[in-house]
Amino acid sequence: MDFDAIVVGSGMSGGWAAKELCERGLKVLVIERGQHVEHGADYNDMQEVWEVENRGRIPEEELDEHYQVQRGCYALNTANKHLFVKDSDHPYETPEGKPFAWLRGYHLGGRSLLWARHSYRWSEMDFEANKKDGYGVDWPIRYGDLAPWYDHVERFAGITGEKMGLAHLPDGEFQPAMPLNCAESDFKSHIEENYPGRTLIMGRIAHLTQPTQEQQSLGRGSCQYRDLCYRGCSFGAYFSALSATLPAAERTGNLTVVTDAIGHSVVYDPSTGKASGVRVVDYHTKEGRTYTARMVFLCASAIGSALVMLNSTSERFPNGIANRSGALGRHLMDHISGIRAGGIYPGHEDQYYSGKRPGGFYIPRYRNLPGQEEENFVRGFGIQGGIGRMNWSRAGGRPGIGAELKESLRTPGAWRVGLSGFGEMLPDPNNRVSLHPNKVDKWGIPLPVIDCAYGENEMKIVERCKADIVAMLESAGVQNIEVGGDPAPPGYGIHEMGTARMGRDPSTSVLNGWNQAHDVPNLFVTDGACMTSSACQNPSLTYMAVTARAANHAADLLQEGVL
């Protein structure tokens, strides 16, 4: 064998798999389908806004030609467009009338360079939900199984937050929280006084406010409050695979990284019943090659990993490796997003704040909690938001000319509040990703077909969440309230999950409670594909925890001679 382990994907989950396996002494190959990106050197985070090409705006003709889907991401601009795929090079298909926005970054570090960094634990309620209400299959793990691994990844990654004692949003190992500003503190008081059971907290985000010695040893420093995170962070202040996990893996001497190598399929050895390696296609030459290893970790994203598995056919697995259940590619989920409203927040005209804080506040789920009266929908939603003063960059319509206009632009504008809901999407076997039967991409790999839509429960969540947001704004005296329209199509939450779900029964799930394929014991899947439900919290912290847990279990099995 060439390596002890192959990790396909180098982002949120792939970086963690590489780190944990390398630190256990395994020789690890990380395969990344995209380009090499150098931490710091390949970011544009040191440019001022006036130094960025076109002030960050990409010409319409370029968006129309190359970024038809990616343009829907709030973060895309000229400073970081090299971190987004060109849709023209990486097409996929959706059924008519069922749009899905697959927002991607193919490069070393993956979407860990582009995420919004909100990091919340899931609770016992979330892991029990499927069993209690009958949607989906029961998770094979509970909060207690992940709790020590949440501790582990939080300490290493660096999560800011405040301990609140909420059972449905467990506390973690936090660095000091970033403060709310005066208007946000006022809004917090209003919400908690007028809506018993609702809590507003500063978002728990993956930024360093008090770096540990270990974090400093990796070259990471405190957040500089620049709010340029979507360009990458040369200070390493926010957690990414490039700033943290991959450097930790590299310093062991056990890591090998190959970029521009597109994962084609997992090689299955019928004589052993195990995976023996991974086939790749070179991005530039389009030539194929195979790497071998004693185990394989798929961390290429919920859709990416499912596609690799579906393309891994053999006599035993004609419909994709480890797909005896038929669940592979199905139960695709994303968080319901685009539920928003905002307006002008009253008061505090004589106050301002320092710096550009890189994250907002969070109102954790408050409906359908244990002991509450049930709603007309199952599961729930959380709300993210922020309040800030409008400034010159957002005052394009302000009247005036010459010195008078310049002087007015030096005066802070009104306080503006924005709230955005994120709702839970139920697992549905009809929401799926599959391979096109006769169309292939330029590397000869079948095109993805993504068929996904919200159901009745999701739309009831949208209705309730939107009504709650508007009611909270109105009761706080917010003026000129603007309410968003329909929710964004699936995909815009950028939290794809569920295509190779964990479960207790091999006939209804792909993976066991250790993220291990039921039918291929040395194949592990630890990205969003493994998720059995979606909860309503941002899922990245849970990806990290399940990956660290699975990687250490796999290392134990390898050392025991089981694999």
Side-chain angles (χ1 to χ4, degrees):
M1 294 290 182
D2 297 327
F3 298 92
D4 293 318
I6 292 174
V7 177
V8 181
S10 64
M12 196 69 68
S13 300
W16 270 101
K19 171 188 175 295
E20 298 298 306
L21 294 170
C22 284
E23 289 180 345
R24 291 293 300 270
L26 278 64
K27 297 296 183 180
V28 178
L29 171 67
V30 169
I31 295 173
E32 168 54 52
R33 66 171 293 153
Q35 64 183 322
H36 177 82
V37 171
E38 192 70 28
H39 176 58
D42 290 330
Y43 305 153
N44 291 313
D45 64 318
M46 294 300 179
Q47 293 180 318
E48 297 290 352
V49 63
W50 53 85
E51 296 174 318
V52 176
E53 181 186 1
N54 292 336
R55 297 294 194 270
R57 300 188 66 175
I58 300 173
E60 283 295 319
E61 57 270 22
E62 185 177 355
L63 291 171
D64 290 341
E65 182 178 1
H66 295 302
Y67 301 101
Q68 304 95 325
V69 177
Q70 309 309 307
R71 68 185 302 167
C73 181
Y74 65 93
L76 176 66
N77 63 71
T78 56
N80 68 3
K81 66 182 182 180
H82 63 295
L83 301 179
F84 285 82
V85 303
K86 289 185 176 181
D87 297 304
S88 52
D89 290 335
H90 303 280
Y92 62 96
E93 296 200 352
T94 60
E96 186 174 355
K98 299 175 74 175
F100 186 94
W102 192 13
L103 303 175
R104 295 168 282 170
Y106 289 162
H107 51 265
L108 193 65
R111 288 185 296 188
S112 75
L113 298 184
L114 296 165
W115 66 311
R117 305 166 305 284
H118 279 253
S119 302
Y120 304 104
R121 294 190 181 202
W122 288 21
S123 69
E124 189 73 1
M125 173 186 69
D126 299 311
F127 289 105
E128 290 180 343
N130 283 10
K131 182 178 181 180
K132 288 189 172 181
D133 62 33
Y135 290 92
V137 299
D138 186 22
W139 276 88
I141 60 174
R142 291 293 186 264
Y143 175 72
D145 297 306
L146 273 191
W149 296 101
Y150 277 131
D151 291 347
H152 176 69
V153 300
E154 285 167 343
R155 284 193 292 264
F156 178 82
I159 310 298
T160 68
E162 181 181 2
K163 293 183 184 292
M164 300 298 296
L166 302 174
H168 57 287
L169 193 74
D171 293 328
E173 297 291 320
F174 298 137
Q175 295 197 4
M178 294 180 174
L180 298 170
N181 62 43
C182 57
E184 291 169 334
S185 296
D186 182 62
F187 188 54
K188 170 184 171 68
S189 297
H190 173 82
I191 294 300
E192 294 177 355
E193 290 172 6
N194 291 276
Y195 295 93
R198 301 186 193 183
T199 305
L200 189 153
I201 65 173
M202 179 57 209
R204 296 170 177 175
I205 53 178
H207 285 257
L208 301 184
T209 54
Q210 194 175 82
T212 65
Q213 184 175 351
E214 180 181 36
Q215 288 157 351
Q216 291 175 338
S217 73
L218 291 166
R220 302 184 63 195
S222 296
C223 179
Q224 302 297 300
Y225 283 70
R226 303 179 304 155
D227 195 26
L228 297 176
C229 318
Y230 51 84
R231 301 189 200 172
C233 181
S234 297
F235 297 96
Y238 77 75
F239 172 83
S240 73
L242 287 193
S243 69
T245 46
L246 290 178
E250 185 176 17
R251 68 184 178 185
T252 67
N254 294 325
L255 178 67
T256 301
V257 175
V258 175
T259 55
D260 296 310
I262 301 170
H264 176 279
S265 54
V266 176
V267 181
Y268 175 73
D269 184 350
S271 67
T272 63
K274 299 178 181 179
S276 62
V278 175
R279 297 185 188 92
V280 302
V281 179
D282 187 279
Y283 179 90
H284 300 288
T285 68
K286 299 181 176 61
E287 295 179 354
R289 59 184 183 273
T290 299
Y291 296 101
T292 61
R294 299 165 70 186
M295 68 172 73
V296 174
F297 270 70
L298 293 181
C299 303
S301 83
I303 295 175
S305 290
L307 294 173
V308 171
M309 295 178 74
L310 288 166
N311 204 38
S312 306
T313 58
S314 62
E315 184 176 353
R316 183 183 176 192
F317 300 115
N319 298 313
I321 193 167
N323 193 21
R324 171 161 59 106
S325 65
L328 181 61
R330 295 186 180 273
H331 312 102
L332 176 62
M333 299 169 285
D334 183 30
H335 283 139
I336 315 165
S337 64
I339 316 167
R340 57 173 58 97
I344 303 301
Y345 196 82
H348 307 284
E349 288 87 356
D350 61 341
Q351 294 177 284
Y352 204 73
Y353 44 87
S354 175
K356 299 177 181 179
R357 194 189 63 208
F361 57 70
Y362 187 51
I363 302 174
R365 176 176 161 181
Y366 52 83
R367 293 196 180 275
N368 281 337
L369 297 180
Q372 289 184 340
E373 182 178 347
E374 293 183 358
E375 304 283 344
N376 68 338
F377 56 85
V378 298
R379 315 294 173 93
F381 56 86
I383 298 170
Q384 297 180 18
I387 306 178
R389 296 203 74 166
M390 299 177 69
N391 57 28
W392 65 269
S393 67
R394 299 167 64 182
R398 187 177 295 183
I401 190 170
E404 180 183 354
L405 174 61
K406 293 177 182 178
E407 183 61 31
S408 73
L409 292 177
R410 294 188 177 97
T411 304
W415 291 88
R416 183 167 184 84
V417 57
L419 299 181
S420 182
F422 286 83
E424 179 164 358
M425 188 173 183
L426 296 176
D428 182 342
N430 296 312
N431 289 331
R432 63 181 301 195
V433 58
S434 59
L435 304 179
H436 199 286
N438 48 48
K439 291 184 180 180
V440 298
D441 63 19
K442 63 176 64 177
W443 298 278
I445 299 173
L447 286 188
V449 179
I450 305 174
D451 185 348
C452 186
Y454 298 134
E456 180 181 359
N457 194 72
E458 284 77 34
M459 297 313 296
K460 289 180 178 178
I461 285 178
V462 170
E463 182 181 0
R464 180 72 268 170
C465 181
K466 184 181 294 187
D468 284 1
I469 286 175
V470 172
M472 285 189 287
L473 293 176
E474 289 178 340
S475 69
V478 175
Q479 304 163 2
N480 302 326
I481 296 175
E482 298 176 353
V483 184
D486 294 333
Y492 279 113
I494 326 179
H495 296 158
E496 312 96 72
M497 292 175 265
T499 54
R501 68 183 180 185
M502 299 167 69
R504 300 178 186 274
D505 185 350
S507 69
T508 59
S509 59
V510 180
L511 310 171
N512 67 16
W514 295 100
N515 298 80
Q516 186 178 18
H518 288 298
D519 296 326
V520 185
N522 66 338
L523 176 62
F524 296 80
V525 184
T526 67
D527 54 23
C530 76
M531 306 296 274
T532 310
S533 63
S534 68
C536 67
Q537 302 95 304
N538 303 54
S540 295
L541 187 70
T542 301
Y543 299 168
M544 297 185 212
V546 297
T547 300
R549 178 176 179 267
N552 279 275
H553 177 68
D556 289 341
L557 295 179
L558 199 63
Q559 291 178 355
E560 294 166 5
V562 176
L563 293 183

